Amino acid sequence: MATILHSLGRAVDALVSVYDPDRALYRHRARQLLQRAYEGASNKDGWKPRRAGASPNTDHTMDAAALRARSRALTQNVPYIAQGLRSLTASVIGTGIIHRWMRSEEATYNDLFQQWTRVCDADGRHDYYGLQAAAFRAAKQDGEVLLRLRPRRAEDGLPVPLQLQLLEIDWLDSSKTGTFEGRQVINGISYDQLGRVAGYWLFDQHPGETGVSMRSRLSSRFVPASRIIHYFNPERPGQGRGFPQISPVIARVRDLQLYEDAELQRKNLETRLSVLATGPVAEMANPPSPNEVVDTTAAKAGDLGPLQSGGITQLPGSTALTVVEPKAAPGYVEYLKFNLHLIAAGFGVTYAMMTGDTKGGSWTSERAGRLNFQTEAEVERWLHFIPRFCDPITRAFADAAELGGHVKRASYDVDYSTPKWNYVNPKDDVAADVTEIFSGLSSFSEKLRQRGYKPDQVFEELRTDIEKLRSNGVLDVMLKLLKGKQLEGASSDAEGAAE
């Protein structure tokens, strides 16, 4: 049909050009405007994206459960995926992101928070910084994670009447979609008339727990949004749920695993030296043992079965011997590394972080890759984890401290200190820190917090150490030795300049 219409159009154009050339030119220009400006939008290659135009919530409804199950399976069974997730968690969260209250009753807040970090986990498995790492790891593996705020009674003996309960996203009733209690519910999340999250429909138990009845699996109850922290990384406007970090490369990882399995089988065959024999081989083979059953049906039918190491398999026909020698297929390592680089890029980590392989790369290239990863990790910290996970906990803790009568009023004026990155070149990096401090671009306290130290504790230890060294007469000796070393270094620099 399209061909007929195209031919008819050309005939009309030819006829118009005879009687009205200007009109023919106008028709030609109009037809050219209908051509696509972007080659990537052409349908000639047959590429039709799946579920084009679907909302992020529709994509989540259709694909998230399968992606989450596969992400967990790969994390549990593929070593470099597990290592990549560990490295990502260690790099972004490290030993924990530290909260430090500023100005209003800061000493009281900081002291309370330090005590509370040890007992904040409602399940009693982590301290606060361990919860940070566990939440981040679960969110990257499953795409999202829930943290439930659990108010406590004063008689529970906690520094503030609050604890945190970390929940896998399976607790959220994803099948809950429609209108419930007068609100719109999409994928288990309830929204008010303005589109804000009003609450979550949660099961009473993990639906995959052993011994949970079918009725418990199907029933869920509404929990207000003020009691839930839903942490995920939204990538599209209007996205209400998250996808696993490894989603873009799940298919590639699985294909690579199949390729590795095939290579393992080929290697196994390479180690086997077998001989195919046609004709009477009774005199060549070892006689069977009394209890051994000889099956000649497979050989007559042409099914050799598994080849035995160092064995002889009889085939019908005249006498002939053929040695089975599988040939090694070249390029396995190169192909494996190429795919691992692509998987690392899709996973959001460097190749070295995911595999532990640091061979073949120069120091400059490794440093460049590491710096690029650090930039992405800082984005993850400051644009996602801190505002969507740490800030809500800060507000809940401050409210609980006021409710418990420990402070006059709730204060949310908090400064966050993230773990310091490991030095690639310690000498130059320390010198850069010192330059920042004496240039007024940073403070001693901030640099200490970045390294994971508590400034007040360090300053107190320094004061105590200096007093001890001065009282023992060691401080003056150390200063003289340091001064002599500096003079020696200056003299060496002068001699080098003179030469």
Side-chain angles (χ1 to χ4, degrees), residues 259-272:
Y259 175 67
E260 290 185 40
D261 291 343
E263 178 67 16
L264 180 62
Q265 293 296 326
R266 187 185 64 76
K267 285 290 186 183
N268 190 15
L269 285 175
E270 284 184 17
T271 62
R272 296 173 178 267

Side-chain angles (χ1 to χ4, degrees), residues 148-162:
R148 189 166 185 174
L149 305 176
R150 293 286 192 178
R152 298 305 189 205
R153 299 178 181 274
E155 53 266 26
D156 290 334
L158 298 170
V160 298
L162 174 71

